[in-house]
Amino acid sequence: GTPLKIKSAGSDLSASPGTFFQVNPRQNDHLVGKVLSILKNRSVKTLVDLYCGNGNFSLPCAEAGIQVTGVESAGGAVEDAKRASRGRNPRFVKSKVENYAGKLGVMKFDAVLVDPPRAGLPKQVREKVRMSGAATLVYVSCDPATLARDLAVLTGGGYRIVSIEPLDMFPQSHHLESVALLENTG
């Protein structure tokens, strides 16, 4: 089918049938704006965006001058992201995050952004992110329970929580999106 054309914080994105994208555009703009604000305030120059989907965060970050590598396993979403980037920054990699995460310690990034599915970060990804050495970690979560579990591991191994901001993406429901900012203490 034909991809749906959508805007994310001023960036033109597309979402092919069967791929994930945020369905509340107003709150998504706020969400992306919050992430951009964090990264700009921390003078981030290089970013790896794990679970990047169709580029919801990667493309606005790249347009803000950050060098971005987006990683996503869903081929349709990666193609959407590449199409929207029109061959410019960012670079998108089709890979399971579990497979790519081993490169985090080798390739140096100022920041790591994770926006995992409701199940949160798999154990091996939590460990690789924790050991990455990135000065800044931004964790976008759609499930408070898995966020708490993952933050317990990350804060037990070199990161400290600076802030957590909830966003109500689906009013009148129990669903809650959160943006957690962590900084490396090592």
Side-chain angles (χ1 to χ4, degrees), residues 54-67:
N54 66 346
N56 188 49
F57 296 108
S58 296
L59 289 163
C61 287
E63 289 172 9
I66 299 170
Q67 188 68 37

Side-chain angles (χ1 to χ4, degrees), residues 125-133 153-159 184:
V125 174
R126 281 193 304 263
E127 289 303 313
K128 295 298 184 184
V129 167
R130 185 180 63 77
M131 296 184 311
S132 72
V153 171
L154 294 165
T155 57
Y159 282 92
N184 193 324

Side-chain angles (χ1 to χ4, degrees), residues 64-75:
I66 299 170
Q67 188 68 37
V68 181
T69 299
V71 181
E72 174 61 49
S73 64

